[in-house]
Amino acid sequence: MTKPLSELEVADLAFSFREWLVERQDQVKGRRKGERTRDRIRLATVDLLNERGFRELRVSDVCERAAITPPVLYLYFNSKQALVEDVLREFLDRFSLQRARQPAQTAYESIREANLRWILWAKANSGLIQCLFEFSNEIPEFGSLYAKANHEWHLRTAQAIMRRFPPNHMDLPSLHLTIIALGGMMDDITRKLYSMPDSNMLGLVNEVAGSDEHLADFLSHIWFKTLYPASPRVP
């Protein structure tokens, strides 16, 4: 079993988009009033998306939560769709900027940190992640963009693995497809744990892996044995 992380290390991995917006909103110095107002609207939108989801989101509720009038909101966003898309694009941008705390020394360490980061990210941003799926299904243009971003993210992951810890039995296209398959497993499990809680999945995970780190260990063993089947043992 990998050494447990400290509370500080876990907090570093558990990025909350809402908390990041709050921190940016509090940074008044050097920011124009319009930028702060836009962020206040975004923060209200994130809170409501977490509470109700995209389909139940109403512009009037965003205005009430942000303490503004509809004409003020429409100065920055011309529709509910434009507002939600703005929030989701920035949410994805922030995720893409997250980096490993330090270069991993082994393939397993690299896999485990990435998986633990995703588990904690999915837990901290469950409403927004569910909104990503809903919005992608309802808005084809955004769905195409999201699919492309996912494809490229999986490709970058495959390229990084091939560069640092290449599996002997795979070329890059095969590795890319494998990463997509394993990533789908992560998406499905975390969605059933956090975004759309499934009592059967919750019970099973609590029985098999009683903490976020244990779940990361369990799933990372699957990744490791899939990518490195000839390895004599899993760390």
Side-chain angles (χ1 to χ4, degrees):
M1 182 72 67
T2 305
K3 179 182 176 183
L5 300 178
S6 68
E7 289 185 9
L8 185 61
E9 288 172 320
V10 170
D12 184 48
L13 290 174
F15 176 86
S16 165
F17 184 66
R18 184 193 185 280
E19 291 178 7
W20 177 77
L21 276 178
V22 170
E23 291 174 4
R24 190 168 72 175
Q25 181 71 14
D26 290 342
Q27 295 170 357
V28 176
K29 186 177 180 181
R31 302 190 72 218
R32 293 175 294 181
K33 180 181 178 182
E35 293 174 336
R36 298 197 303 274
T37 301
R38 185 186 291 268
D39 268 356
R40 197 161 77 248
I41 296 169
R42 287 176 175 138
L43 181 58
T45 303
V46 168
D47 284 340
L48 289 166
L49 287 173
N50 281 327
E51 293 170 16
R52 307 177 189 179
F54 167 66
R55 294 185 181 94
E56 301 300 321
L57 182 72
R58 297 187 301 180
V59 168
S60 59
D61 293 332
V62 174
C63 292
E64 181 179 352
R65 187 70 63 96
I68 59 170
T69 62
V72 171
L73 184 144
Y74 287 121
L75 284 174
Y76 299 95
F77 306 100
N78 60 24
S79 66
K80 167 185 165 179
Q81 178 179 328
L83 170 58
V84 173
E85 183 168 346
D86 175 88
V87 167
L88 293 179
R89 281 177 179 267
E90 185 157 24
F91 176 55
L92 289 174
D93 286 345
R94 295 309 307 174
F95 179 72
S96 69
L97 292 173
Q98 300 302 300
R99 294 289 183 267
R101 292 171 296 118
Q102 56 188 8
Q105 299 302 307
T106 68
Y108 183 78
E109 287 178 8
S110 177
I111 291 167
R112 184 183 186 274
E113 176 162 324
N115 284 339
L116 180 58
R117 183 185 296 278
W118 174 247
I119 290 167
L120 296 173
W121 171 271
K123 189 175 183 178
N125 303 280
S126 57
L128 283 173
I129 290 173
Q130 180 58 26
C131 183
L132 269 175
F133 293 117
E134 292 177 355
F135 197 72
S136 296
N137 287 334
E138 295 201 14
I139 311 298
E141 297 85 356
F142 184 84
S144 297
L145 181 147
Y146 181 45
K148 183 173 183 290
N150 254 338
H151 185 83
E152 292 176 350
W153 185 85
H154 287 124
L155 176 58
R156 289 196 300 272
T157 301
Q159 289 170 333
I161 290 174
M162 190 63 78
R163 184 171 60 252
R164 296 206 62 211
F165 308 107
N168 294 329
H169 65 299
M170 290 189 194
D171 56 16
L172 181 59
S174 299
L175 179 58
H176 185 192
L177 185 56
T178 302
I179 295 298
I180 290 172
L182 292 169
M185 172 187 72
M186 301 296 296
D187 287 347
D188 187 56
I189 290 175
T190 53
R191 191 182 316 144
K192 289 177 180 176
L193 288 177
Y194 310 124
S195 297
M196 299 180 67
D198 177 284
S199 58
N200 294 315
M201 179 65 75
L202 286 165
L204 183 59
V205 168
N206 285 335
E207 183 178 351
V208 173
S211 70
D212 296 327
E213 289 199 60
H214 288 158
L215 179 59
D217 280 323
F218 182 88
L219 297 174
S220 296
H221 278 57
I222 296 173
W223 278 69
F224 187 81
K225 290 307 293 182
T226 300
L227 296 177
Y228 307 99
S231 177
R233 68 183 182 89
V234 178

